[in-house]
Every structure is written in C-alpha cells, then in structure tokens.
Amino acid sequence: MEMLDVIMDGLFTWQTLLGLLVGVLGGMLMGALPGLSSTMAVTLLIPISYGMEPVAALVMLTATYTSAIFGGSITAILIHTPGTPSSAATAMDGYALTLQGRGLEALGMSTISSTVGGIISAIALLLIAPPLARMSLKFSSPEYMFIAIFGLTIIGSLAGESLLHGLATGVIGLALGLIGMEGTLGVSRYTFGVLQLMNGIQLVPALIGLFSMSQAMLQCEKLSKPGGLASGQISKEAAKNIKGHFFLPLKEYPKYIPNMIRSSIIGLLVGIMPGAGGDIGSWVSYNFAKRSSKHPETFGKGELQGVCASEAANNAVTGGALIPLLTLSIPGSGTAAVLLGGLIIHGLTPGASLFEKNAHLIYPILVGFLIANILMGIVGVLIGRKVVKVADVPANVLIPIIIVLSVLGSYAINFSMFDVYVMLAFGFIGYFLRKLNYPTAPIVLALILGPMAENGFQMSLLMAKGSVIKYWAGRPLCWLFVVLSVCSTLLPVIINAAKKKSGIEQAEASSPED
Amino acid sequence: MKKWILCLLSLLLVFSLLTACGGKDAAEEAPANEPAETQEETEAEEPAAEESAEEQKEEPEAEEPAEEQEEEPADSASVDFPAGKPITLIVPYAAGGGTDIGNRMLVPYLEKELDTTITVVNQPGGSGWVAWNELATKEPDGYTITAMGSASLNYNKYNPDAPQELGVDDFTQLGCQVVDYATICIRADETRFKTWDEFIEYGKENELTGSGAGTEDKVTKLYLNDAFGTNYTAVISGDGAAGALTAVLGGHVDFLVSNVGECLIPYQDGELIPLCVFSEERSPFLPDVPTYKELTGDSVLFFSARALATTGGLDPAIRQVLVDAIAAATQNQDFVDDMAEQGLLVQYMTPEEFTQLVKDEESVVLEYLDVLW
C-alpha cells in the first residue's frame, strides 16, 4: 500500500499529467509525420525535459516513444507514408485497406492492437523486468543472425504477384545494405570515398523515398492524366465507404485476439534484444501472422490481421526495449538509447540499484508509461474518425505537403543535405519499381535485416573459436530459428502443391482478387 | 474540406518550427517560440539551481564577470564575445551516447559562464569527421563549437578507406572535459580465471574472445597479445557498447574491453569484475582495481578523451574567452558530481595538454596500423 501512495504522489501532479498529455499528443503528431521517427521525437523533447521533475520528464519521454510508434501507423495506413520505420509493414495492408474504403477499420485495428501491445509490454516491464532481462542475455550475435534470416524469409511472399519480383528487390535491398563500413573489421564497401556513406544508407531517408516520395510521384502522374483522380488517391465509391466502422462488430474480435497476443509477445522479446527495434519486431510478427494464417494469400492485399500483427508488435517493442535499459543499462533499441540520456540527466542511473534506491521515482514512471498507452488508445479512438479524412484530401493539396514533409523530414535527421539526396534517389527508385510492378517493401526489409544478419555472421565467426557450424549447433535457440526459417520457406511450397492436387479451380478463384 | 486542409497546413507549420528549433540555423527563426519554452525551463530550474549558489556567495555572482576580466590579460577583456548571441554546440555522434550525454550535462554550466544560450545539435556520420570537415570550412567566429573525441581523432583518421587530412592541430582546441580510461572486465561468475595473472596465463594457452565497441578496444587487445603472447581475439560489436556488454554478460564472449564509464554500473551491480585499468593512477570509481602500470610496470594508457574545439584560426581573444569559460564550467563542483554519478571522471586539461595526449596515443596507434584495419 505504501508503494501505491508513492505512485499516486509521483504521478498525480500537474506537471506529470501535463507531461503525459504532451508526450501522447506530441508523440502521435511527430510519429505520424514522415521522417520524424520515434527516436527523433524523443530527442526533440529531451531538452524540454531538463527543467521538469524527473517523474514528469520521464513519463513524457516514454509516452512520446510509444505514441510516436502508434502515430506512424496513421499516415502509413491513410496515405502510404509510414511515419516511422516501424510502420513500414503496416503500410502494405493498411493502405490496401484504405484503397478499398476500409481505412477507418484499419485505423481502428491499429489503435486497438497498438494499445494492447503497449499495455502488455508495460505490464511486463512493471512486473517481470528482471527475469526478462536475464533472458535477453541468452541471445547473442548467432541468434540475431538466425532471427534476421527468419525475418528475411518473408520476402518471397511480400512479392504479391510475382515471386521473382519480390526476390529481385530483396536482393537489391541486401546489396544496398552492404554499403558502408563493415561492423567488425572496419572495411569500407562501395563508399567511393564519400564520407557520408561510411555509416551506410540511412534507413529513414531510404524509407521516406521508397514509400512517401514515390507515392507522391505516382499521384502526380495520375493527376496529370485526363480525368485523373481529383480527390485523393481513393476512388469515388471508396470515398463513400470511408464513413465505415472504426470498431468491428464485437463478435469479430476473438479472431484477432490470438494474433494480437502472439504479436505482442514477439514484439516484447524483440524489443528486449539490443540492436533490434520496432522495425524488426513488426516484420517478424507479420511473418508469423502470415505463416499461421489460414489465408496467407490475403496478406499484402488488405488484411486486418497484418495491421494487427505489425502494430501490436511495434508498440510491444517499446516496453520491451525499456526492460534491459532500466535493469542492465543496455538500451534495447535506438530510441531507448536516447532515453538513456534522458534518465541519466535526471540522475536516474539505470541498473539494479534503480529499483531500490530510486523506487519512489521509477515506479511512478512505469505506471505512467502504462497509463500513457491507455491514453494513447483513447486519443486514437477520439481522433480516428477525424484523421481518416486525410485520405480524402484532394491530391493537389496532399502531394505538395507530402513532398515538403519528406524533404524536411530527411533533412532533420542529421541536418544534412546528403540525406535529402538519398531520399530523392530512393524516391526515383521506388517510383520506377512500382511502375514496373516490383514491390518496394522487400528493399526496406532487406536494408533493415541484411546488416543485422551479416553482423551476426561476422561476430559468430570471431566468437566460435574454431568451427562456426559446431558453434551454432551447440546453441538451441539457433536451432529454433533455423527450424522456423525452413518451415517458413517450405510451407508455402507444400501448401501450393497440396492445393494443386485438391483442385485448380479453387486456387484460381482466390487469386485474381486484386 | 477547407478545415482539414487548414489543419494539415498548420501541422506542417508546427513541424517546420520543430525542425527549426532543433536545427543549427535555429538562431534567427527560433526566438518567436523559444522564449515560451525556455521560460518554463528556467522557472523550474532556477529555484533549485540558484538557491545553493546564492546562499553561499550572493555578491560574487554579480561581480564574477568583472573579476575574471581583470585577471585576464588585456586581450580577452577587449572582445565582447558571445554578447548574448547563441552558440551552437555540434555533437558529431548520435544522441544518447556518452559524448552526447557528457556535453548536454556541461551545457547548463557553460551557458552560465558565457551568459548566452547554447544549442546542442547532433550531427553523426563518419565517426565525427562529417561534421568536423564541414566545420573546418566555416569562418572561425567561435559561435559554432564541436565536441571532439580522441578515438575518432586517432583511429578513424587512419582508416585507409576514408583517410582524413585534418588532425588535432587543424582545429582551435578549447579544452578537454573528460578522460575515460579503458578497463578489462570479466564476468563475476567466471571460473576459469579470477585475477589478472590467471587471466593472462589462461590466455597464453587458450584462445579467448573479448568484445568491445570500437577500434580503440581492438588496439588494447593487440597490445596485450604483443606483450604477453596471449591469444585474444577482438570481437568488435556492431551494436556498439550495448552489444559488447550483452555479449560478455550473456557469456557469449570471455571478456570485455570498455571504458570505466561503461562498466561501472554492471560492476556496482556485481555483474562484472574489472581486472585492470589503463590509466596513470587508479580510477577513483574503481579504487580496488590496479592499473596496468602497477601490474606490469609498463605505463601505457588507453582512453577515450572528450574535448571541445572549433574551426582553426580563431581570434586569440575569443579563444581565450571560450577556453576560460570551459575551464570554469568543467571544474564546477556540481558538474563534477553529476558526471561522477555516471562513472565519468572529469579531468580538465588545457587545449595544449589535450593536444599532447592525443599525439602520444597517436604514436601507439601508428605502430598497429597495418594490423588494425
């Protein structure tokens, strides 16, 4: 009971409540804008947090983190411009749903699953952080490598119409991931002496280019054609449907609950690992959701389960990333690394002592984080019906705004024009690929997971002290992901073969949907 | 519909303002909304921060600037340097890292000394060199200063794929705030070796892997292999210091090479045991841990030092103002205490001393250049 008093005292001050509100609203706004990732959102608010009470400051920052991840899904769904890298997986199904006039449904699903994912991770953070942090130590480079490979196996099925197209863009992504200084040996590859390329192709400008910029260019093209779509990117009939439902009928939900919980747990676990953040979590759980679905062919063409998986996972990552940060002083994601700065500046040195010495500060913060996730859901419900109209804004207004935001967003990351050029280059790449019916998502996926797999491989070689195969074989967690990867690759083949046997008509009936 | 367009446009405006606030060109555009923010900050901060200062010495507060000017030779008194104009501090590494935190903690003290606002801008890339090369082309006016790390100066400079022409001398050095020495740590539950001697003996017979976050940690291992004939393999973590720490705590590698600041918390939590510190004298944070010199008689130093600098050829009078302010801010007891909590030893060094330190280390680095990259 004493603890409860402490939590109440810390949490219910004007400053903390204000910080909570600023964090949730500011986080959602910044997350929704392309280029302002959750890391940027937290970085921008850190200087403001200096003057605040520690509890208020940290509640604001953690609320910003989780809300920014959720905010990213709003623009991903409505205008195909993921606000943060974590929402790239959401964009595929979410935008397809918007095109079908089901944008509001997608937003509703994103709101609910983000909130559930966030709450599950916040509870885990509050109650079982130390054992979970211990568990995270079981994962090291070899496991990271196999997790990344498992994530990469989804490329084949992101392809949509042609497997070959998907694999081709996946390879382009892997090749682009090679650019820069190699992690373990420090050898530079394909940098051509350009200093800015030493750190590799930065994910955020590439993502903005591939998704937002190429989207704007495609819209421009449509607009210039006679009889082009004057009102946004959705068709007239779809626009009528936009009023649809935010919430699904209650009896529909049980279908999504297993997926929501599974994705939250995956997100939590990915979040705990250092060097793997929301972007990886959302892809891995998307892969799981697709593999375990009875209709994997609907993924990528507007499947609510896809939105559910990706959004539950990326918000679960936020709490997960805080677990090793607070207990072991090891940040679980890029944003958590920035939060480490915020903690330290307020004298809250992470580590075992944090929960003893500073319990009167840390527990209110953790409960604040939980409340932030709930508040985020409430705000999402309240604004859902309003923001969905963004999808209906005339293209001639929306396109310039997207372009300006894309340029600003990529410049703001490092205050460097170079990133803007990278963004523009990827805009053109994305435009032509999409014109030629090549999917762009595999590039982003490969750009995220390729370096992770390679780094894991290089480190395994060094850590093995001899035969690396033997080293991997001695690690049960590696086996787990090898088995998952093999299943993930072979299952579709087997299922297809089985389908062909059972009747070609059925397969035909289900494929020409889009 | 109009309403929504307006809404979107106002979103855009908010966003550009945010960008501007964080930006280095913020100075001119920001005032419109900055006062609102800073006022809040200072309101909350002032009572706490100034109370103690005022109680102790109410009068000197006002007199200090005048006093300082009297003491200094005429040149620094003759310039009206920051004159209230904002200064930009570039941190050429990602936000949240050690250098970033250290500098952000220094900023409030430095602001007080210079009586102006200082904006921190993170501009990562090329291990610092992207920002430094850009800074080198600017007019040396003192309004843009940068953080400088000895590791980037000495190691990344010699990366054969991106060799850098500029060196420590090509910038106007303004003083060093922190020296974080390297340590070698093992897990607390390690059974194969418990002490330094056992560690070295074991390493002669068996191959051991050690994780580290950067090239500088690799040199430490190469140096040990040379000195003792041990078989240490450097595993440079692609995930930075966090990855290096996880690898050793999880038992995936055998030991860790890191700075005192990075291993202090796990040490205090009983997770790691530092075996040796590569410093001149024992670290005040690890008083029980011997130095490399004590153990071997060989006085080699490995460290990561953080200094401030600006474009070369700065007006000596302005330079003096900055050097004095940084010296005073760095030696402020409150700042020293703040840093000590993070396991960071504030060790003020004059620009000349810092330059010398970097050059001393450079000679060790040059010896290992062919095996390093």
Side-chain angles (χ1 to χ4, degrees):
Chain A
M1 277 305 101
E2 206 179 304
M3 206 65 225
L4 207 62
D5 283 348
V6 167
I7 291 170
M8 293 293 174
D9 277 355
L11 213 49
F12 294 99
T13 66
W14 282 114
Q15 217 182 77
T16 311
L17 292 178
L18 192 70
L20 191 64
L21 204 64
V22 168
V24 169
L25 294 179
M28 275 170 68
L29 173 65
M30 288 192 265
L33 296 166
L36 270 181
S37 61
S38 58
T39 314
M40 271 291 278
V42 174
T43 313
L44 280 172
L45 284 180
I46 276 193
I48 297 174
S49 79
Y50 286 161
M52 298 168 74
E53 298 284 325
V55 173
L58 268 302
V59 166
M60 180 178 80
L61 294 177
T62 52
T64 308
Y65 182 15
T66 187
S67 310
I69 297 280
F70 166 58
S73 73
I74 298 176
T75 34
I77 290 170
L78 296 177
I79 49 174
H80 199 260
T81 61
T84 68
S86 306
S87 294
T90 314
M92 290 189 309
D93 282 293
Y95 186 61
L97 283 166
T98 300
L99 288 181
Q100 297 163 18
R102 294 166 68 196
L104 200 55
E105 256 174 71
L107 267 190
M109 181 49 72
S110 152
T111 309
I112 293 165
S113 39
S114 291
T115 310
V116 169
I119 289 175
I120 289 181
S121 76
I123 292 174
L125 175 62
L126 197 57
L127 300 180
I128 48 170
L132 276 179
R134 285 280 132 216
M135 205 176 78
S136 77
L137 295 179
K138 296 258 184 284
F139 289 82
S140 189
S141 308
E143 284 80 15
Y144 289 173
M145 176 187 138
F146 287 108
I147 291 172
I149 289 175
F150 171 64
L152 284 170
T153 60
I154 202 183
I155 284 186
S157 57
L158 287 181
E161 285 161 43
S162 153
L163 178 68
L164 216 56
H165 284 191
L167 290 178
T169 47
V171 169
I172 295 177
L174 286 175
L176 289 169
L178 291 177
I179 295 175
M181 197 157 82
E182 188 271 326
T184 46
L185 298 171
V187 177
S188 303
R189 296 179 301 205
Y190 308 111
T191 56
F192 305 105
V194 178
L195 202 56
Q196 283 92 338
L197 282 176
M198 290 286 282
N199 287 0
I201 299 270
Q202 296 298 302
L203 179 64
V204 175
L207 179 80
I208 300 175
L210 283 174
F211 281 81
S212 319
M213 202 63 187
S214 71
Q215 177 73 10
M217 287 158 90
L218 284 174
Q219 291 299 320
C220 266
E221 194 188 328
K222 268 190 200 158
L223 205 62
S224 63
K225 277 186 188 153
L229 288 175
S231 94
Q233 46 274 88
I234 53 173
S235 61
K236 289 270 155 61
E237 314 91 82
K240 275 179 212 146
N241 292 337
I242 214 164
K243 291 193 177 72
H245 304 286
F246 188 79
F247 292 113
L248 296 168
L250 210 58
K251 61 173 190 253
E252 292 274 308
Y253 280 109
K255 220 167 58 179
Y256 296 93
I257 287 174
N259 182 11
M260 223 176 259
I261 292 176
R262 181 187 52 229
S263 303
S264 301
I265 293 171
I266 294 169
L268 186 66
L269 294 179
V270 171
I272 293 173
M273 296 173 210
D279 39 7
I280 291 167
S282 58
W283 283 116
V284 170
S285 69
Y286 185 86
N287 198 355
F288 263 106
K290 178 161 184 173
R291 295 306 175 206
S292 57
S293 166
K294 283 185 190 127
H295 323 280
E297 71 279 354
T298 58
F299 278 70
K301 294 174 186 158
E303 171 62 62
L304 273 179
Q305 295 278 14
V307 174
C308 170
S310 148
E311 282 306 305
N314 64 23
N315 274 84
V317 163
T318 59
L322 295 176
I323 288 175
L325 172 70
L326 296 177
T327 51
L328 300 170
S329 181
I330 298 170
S333 71
T335 316
V338 179
L339 274 171
L340 175 62
L343 280 168
I344 286 177
I345 281 163
H346 285 283
L348 294 168
T349 312
S353 64
L354 183 64
F355 290 84
E356 292 152 22
K357 221 168 58 187
N358 285 318
H360 64 293
L361 295 176
I362 197 68
Y363 283 105
I365 292 171
L366 297 184
V367 174
F369 177 64
L370 179 64
I371 295 175
N373 276 298
I374 298 169
L375 185 63
M376 175 186 91
I378 295 172
V379 174
V381 171
L382 289 179
I383 63 166
R385 287 182 176 280
K386 311 268 175 203
V387 293
V388 77
K389 291 184 180 152
V390 169
D392 203 23
V393 170
N396 52 3
V397 175
L398 198 61
I399 294 169
I401 294 178
I402 291 181
I403 293 177
V404 169
L405 285 176
S406 301
V407 172
L408 268 176
S410 33
Y411 177 74
I413 306 161
N414 290 334
F415 302 106
S416 131
M417 272 313 280
F418 187 80
D419 288 336
V420 178
Y421 303 141
V422 169
M423 186 275 292
L424 289 175
F426 273 88
F428 280 101
I429 294 174
Y431 172 74
F432 286 112
L433 286 177
R434 286 171 72 178
K435 286 290 287 180
L436 296 170
N437 237 332
Y438 281 80
T440 50
I443 297 190
V444 175
L445 184 69
L447 210 51
I448 295 169
L449 293 175
M452 178 172 165
E454 195 208 349
N455 186 44
F457 176 69
Q458 296 268 23
M459 301 252 304
S460 316
L461 284 182
L462 290 170
M463 286 155 75
K465 301 179 198 166
S467 164
V468 74
I469 307 278
K470 245 190 233 163
Y471 184 61
W472 286 331
R475 300 173 75 99
L477 282 168
C478 286
W479 278 106
L480 174 70
F481 287 101
V482 170
V483 170
L484 281 174
S485 306
V486 171
C487 289
S488 175
T489 330
L490 291 185
L491 267 185
V493 180
I494 297 167
I495 290 171
N496 269 348
K499 258 188 193 166
K500 263 183 196 159
K501 257 186 190 170
S502 74
I504 300 166
E505 308 92 52
Q506 252 184 333
E508 271 182 349
S510 66
S511 64
E513 254 184 68
D514 193 358
Chain B
M1 186 52 63
K2 277 258 167 63
K3 237 179 17 190
W4 289 106
I5 296 172
L6 273 177
C7 247
L8 269 177
L9 287 174
S10 56
L11 270 183
L12 187 62
L13 184 72
V14 169
F15 176 62
S16 1
L17 276 175
L18 269 173
T19 321
C21 279
K24 52 183 165 181
D25 305 321
E28 291 83 6
E29 302 154 29
N33 67 342
E34 197 135 283
E37 276 170 20
T38 36
Q39 229 172 19
E40 249 184 36
E41 273 173 54
T42 38
E43 262 170 24
E45 222 173 317
E46 249 168 11
E50 253 169 46
E51 236 172 276
S52 55
E54 267 175 74
E55 268 172 36
Q56 285 169 352
K57 40 170 187 175
E58 258 170 26
E59 294 136 58
E61 267 270 311
E63 267 177 54
E64 225 162 28
E67 249 177 26
E68 257 181 352
Q69 281 177 2
E70 269 170 55
E71 279 170 16
E72 295 307 328
D75 60 350
S76 82
S78 61
V79 289
D80 178 21
F81 167 58
K85 279 214 262 170
I87 291 177
T88 303
L89 169 57
I90 297 173
V91 173
Y93 309 101
T99 310
D100 183 56
I101 295 171
N103 280 292
R104 282 180 191 273
M105 287 167 82
L106 178 71
V107 161
Y109 299 99
L110 200 52
E111 279 179 336
K112 228 179 250 176
E113 296 295 333
L114 289 168
D115 196 20
T116 182
T117 48
I118 298 174
T119 319
V120 179
V121 175
N122 294 93
Q123 201 185 345
S127 306
W129 285 102
V130 170
W132 295 339
N133 284 338
E134 193 191 315
L135 185 69
T137 62
K138 292 213 169 131
E139 201 57 39
D141 60 4
Y143 286 104
T144 308
I145 58 179
T146 179
M148 234 173 213
S150 61
S152 300
L153 278 174
N154 272 344
Y155 296 93
N156 302 90
K157 176 174 159 59
Y158 294 105
N159 183 345
D161 296 313
Q164 296 302 326
E165 284 163 17
L166 300 175
V168 64
D169 284 333
D170 295 305
F171 295 89
T172 305
Q173 293 296 332
L174 300 171
C176 167
Q177 61 179 92
V178 173
V179 183
D180 202 0
Y181 291 101
T183 62
I184 289 185
C185 299
I186 58 171
R187 264 191 316 286
D189 54 9
E190 180 62 73
T191 49
R192 293 165 296 175
F193 32 78
K194 288 269 177 211
T195 64
W196 172 258
D197 291 329
E198 286 168 21
F199 172 68
I200 293 291
E201 284 309 314
Y202 193 89
K204 284 180 190 169
E205 304 296 324
N206 303 282
E207 191 184 345
L208 289 180
T209 50
S211 58
T215 324
E216 63 272 27
D217 299 323
K218 193 170 169 182
V219 174
T220 317
K221 295 177 194 97
L222 290 170
Y223 190 86
L224 290 180
N225 286 346
D226 265 11
F228 300 103
T230 47
N231 301 302
Y232 298 140
T233 312
V235 182
I236 303 295
S237 159
D239 300 323
L245 190 56
T246 321
V248 72
L249 288 182
H252 309 290
V253 296
D254 301 303
F255 65 98
L256 170 77
V257 179
S258 78
N259 294 328
V260 175
E262 287 158 0
C263 75
L264 189 68
I265 295 164
Y267 162 68
Q268 285 168 344
D269 289 347
E271 309 260 4
L272 286 180
I273 301 173
L275 291 179
C276 147
V277 187
F278 290 89
S279 55
E280 200 90 48
E281 284 158 17
R282 288 191 179 203
S283 161
F285 306 110
L286 308 169
D288 304 328
V289 181
T291 65
Y292 185 72
K293 193 179 175 184
E294 284 174 55
L295 291 165
T296 64
D298 177 11
S299 79
V300 66
L301 304 180
F302 290 112
F303 58 87
S304 157
R306 295 172 192 144
L308 292 167
T310 184
T311 321
L314 180 68
D315 176 0
I318 296 177
R319 174 181 174 274
Q320 199 56 47
V321 174
L322 282 169
V323 168
D324 291 342
I326 290 166
T330 310
Q331 285 160 304
N332 185 319
Q333 194 55 43
D334 291 339
F335 174 67
V336 175
D337 293 342
D338 283 357
M339 295 291 272
E341 252 176 64
Q342 310 313 318
L344 291 177
L345 181 60
V346 175
Q347 190 167 10
Y348 177 73
M349 270 189 267
T350 63
E352 294 74 24
E353 287 166 343
F354 174 73
T355 309
Q356 193 54 48
L357 187 75
V358 168
K359 287 189 168 168
D360 287 348
E361 195 194 37
E362 193 173 17
S363 56
V364 181
V365 176
L366 287 173
E367 273 177 50
Y368 291 96
L369 212 51
D370 21 329
V371 276
L372 199 52
W373 291 102

